[in-house]
Each structure stands twice: as C-alpha cells, then as structure tokens.
Amino acid sequence: EKGGYDTFMEKEISEQPHAVADTLLGRTNDAGELVLDELRIDEDELKSIDRITIVACGTAAYAGMVAKYAIEHWTRIPVEVALAHEFRYCDPIVDAKTLVVSISQSGETMDTLMAVKHARELGARTISICNTHGSTIPRESDAVLYTHAGPEIAVASTKAFLAQITACYVLGLYLAQLRGGTYAQDAKAVLSELHGVPAKIEALLGSMDRVREIARFMADTRSVLFLGRQVGFPIAMEGALKLKELAYIHAEGFAAGELKHGPIALIDAGQPVFIVVPGPDTPHGLHGKVVSNIQEIRARGARTLVIAQEGDEAVVPFADEVIRVPHTSPLLQPLLTVVPLQVFALELSTAKGLDVDQPRNLAKSVTVE
Ligand code: M6R
C-alpha cells in the first residue's frame, strides 16, 4: 500500500505532481477558461463578493496565506486569513457579501467546521476546499471545490498542501475571470502557466539528493530558522512546522523583513537558516532585498541554506548551500519552493530514527477543540 516507498509521507511527496495536475483536471474548457460547475453559488452572487475570509488550521492555513497574496493580486478583492479557532471566538466582520473559504484536507477539523457554521450564521456565503468526499465541512458549506490529491495517510500534510494551494489559485483565477476585461486575460495566462507546474515539480523531485544529504548531516541540530518574503513567508512557516512535527526540532519561520525587528538576535555561529528566495523577476525588488538579508545573516555566522531559482546567481556568494527550483512566475513559486523543505524534514526525521508517518502527540485529523 506504500507503493514501494518506506513511508506514506515519502509516497505522498512523490505524488505531488499528480495532486496538482488532478486538481486542475476537468476544470478548464477548450478556450482555456475555468469552468466550475460544481460551485453551486450563483455567478452574480459571486461577482458581488467584496471581501474574502479564509479559515483553516495548520498547514491548510499556510495554503490560505499563500492564496491571499495571489487572490488579492488577481482580483483586487481584499482577502483575510484567519486561524479557524481564532475566528470562531472573535467578532468577525462578515456579511452577505463576504465569501468565507474554508480549507481542510480531512473535512473533519472541528475548529474549521465551527468557523464555517459561525460564518453561515452571520450570513456569509461559504465555499469549502476539501480533499475528502462526503466529509462534514463540505456538507456544512454552500459549495465545495474538491482538491484531488487522493487519500493522505501520513499525519504531516504534503500533497494535500500543494492541492490546496492549487484549488485556491483556481478559485482566485475564476473570480478574476468573472470580473472580465484585463483581469480575465491575465487569469488565462496564469492558468496556462499553472498547467505546466506539475512537470516542474516532477523534475524538482528528481534533484533532491543533496537536500537529503544535508538533512542527514544535521541530525543533531537543535534549532533551524526559515525566512521568506511575500508568498515565500508562509512557505517558511510551513517548512518550520514540518520540522517541528516530524523531527521534534525547534524551528521558526519569519518574514525576512522582520529580521531587523528582533529575530536577527538569534543568529550566531553555525545557526542553520533556510532562505526561500523570491525569483529575480518578483516586483518591488524583493529578490535583492532577500539577497541582502542572506548577506547580513551570513556575516553573523549563520549557515545559509538557500532555496533559489535556477539561474539566480546573485545568491551564490552568500550561500553555504544552494537548492535550485525551476522557474515560475512569482506567485506560483510556493508549489515548488516547499518541496525541498518537505524532503528535508522527512529525511531529518528518518535520520533521527523517528516515526515519520505517526509523529508523537499528533492525530491526522483533529476532531476535538
Ligand atoms: O484536515 P485539515 O486540513 O483541516 O487539518 C489541518 C491541520 O490539522 C493540518 O494541516 C496539520 O497542521 C498537519 N499535521 C500539518 O502537517
């Protein structure tokens, strides 16, 4: 049942190209436009949405954070991401023009379910992005957009995360398409690029030997930091979460811009830091800013483990290791940059002799508060 792999997590990481491709499958027409018949919310109603709130927990919430950057850019609709357990007990600003999007692999996470119920009581339209047919959250939502990652068994979420990001992109691009004009044109171009991403993930998976080696040499490491910016910021947090839950190592993800506001004090000789570098074509000169961050922490002794696009030579002088990912436009990069971080956590956990599929104290689906 593990298909020749030692662990479910390894198998599921290897299935990621399919998770993305299958989540796109059957949702585009011959003209290259999205067709989402399954969204049983009236088009006019969707067009009138003036705010989106995403509710989720853990890794699914990081998928939501990635989606915020993308959906806001593509649609100009404000998007807020709320941890479901916080949303439930605050006084959220939600009305009939708010679209509440829940993200859940299992469809059974109690906090997320209660957040959806809360949103409905407040009059919001609710869409569930979910990987499990017939589960509770989709049943309690107005509409569902299924991720087609296939069953995820390992407690640590990997392929469901990529599928969640993909489904969020599909939703965002669909809303952009509904807006028409240049929004729709731009959405079409992104969608066509998105169809090419699974092959890039496949290629990336074939080049993970060095990442595995780095992880094996780090079995005694006590703390790892992760930096990212823009869509790379939630990826940094996801990399840290994977390491905590799988290898029981202290790990933290930061927005690289926060360094000077405190975290840089943590840097001393030998401190390993992963840096998720935005592609050189990212707007606002973010690439150069992150390269400067790498330089700053290296000067203070950090061991810099740099995830950068193929052809990005600017990082080389400041990197102890460069892990290459294929080129995509900036907002699609998370589908690639997270992969080495998943492999790193898996390998480190294995090197420590831990149970990769069933980490201590955790359950696959958290059905209690
Ligand atoms: O089933 P869900 O997607 O609602 O689960 C949400 C989180 O519990 C889940 O993503 C958790 O953070 C994973 N163990 C992360 O690997």
Side-chain angles (χ1 to χ4, degrees), residues 40-41 55 100-103 107 112-113 115-117 120 124-130 135-145:
R40 300 175 322 244
I41 301 180
V55 293
V100 171
V101 179
S102 65
I103 308 176
T112 309
L113 171 64
V116 170
K117 287 190 173 172
R120 283 188 88 174
R125 291 285 145 269
T126 55
I127 295 182
S128 142
I129 290 180
C130 184
S135 58
T136 312
I137 295 173
R139 281 207 309 271
E140 291 290 335
S141 305
D142 295 310
V144 53
L145 192 61

Side-chain angles (χ1 to χ4, degrees), residues 57-60 104-106 109 155-157 164 241-242 245 366:
C57 301
T59 290
S104 174
Q105 188 285 131
S106 61
T109 301
V155 166
S157 188
Q164 285 161 353
L241 178 60
K242 283 288 152 295
E245 65 179 337
V366 184

Side-chain angles (χ1 to χ4, degrees), residues 212 215-219 345-354 356:
R212 289 197 188 91
R216 283 199 291 271
F217 281 118
M218 286 175 66
L346 163 87
E347 203 62 32
L348 195 43
S349 171
T350 310
K352 290 180 78 168
L354 301 173
V356 171

Side-chain angles (χ1 to χ4, degrees), residues 237-260:
M237 292 195 285
E238 170 63 4
L241 178 60
K242 283 288 152 295
L243 204 57
K244 288 175 210 173
E245 65 179 337
L246 291 167
Y248 317 154
I249 289 176
H250 171 256
E252 257 187 283
F254 300 107
E258 275 293 291
L259 263 181
K260 290 192 177 66

Side-chain angles (χ1 to χ4, degrees), residues 141-194:
S141 305
D142 295 310
V144 53
L145 192 61
Y146 280 108
T147 47
H148 295 148
E152 192 179 64
I153 311 291
V155 166
S157 188
T158 54
K159 63 176 181 172
F161 179 62
L162 262 68
Q164 285 161 353
I165 294 175
T166 307
C168 287
Y169 287 166
V170 165
L171 180 63
L173 294 170
Y174 183 67
L175 293 172
Q177 189 178 298
L178 289 181
R179 289 204 93 162
T182 53
Y183 291 98
Q185 276 166 23
D186 293 348
K188 214 167 163 174
V190 177
L191 186 63
S192 128
E193 189 192 348
L194 196 50

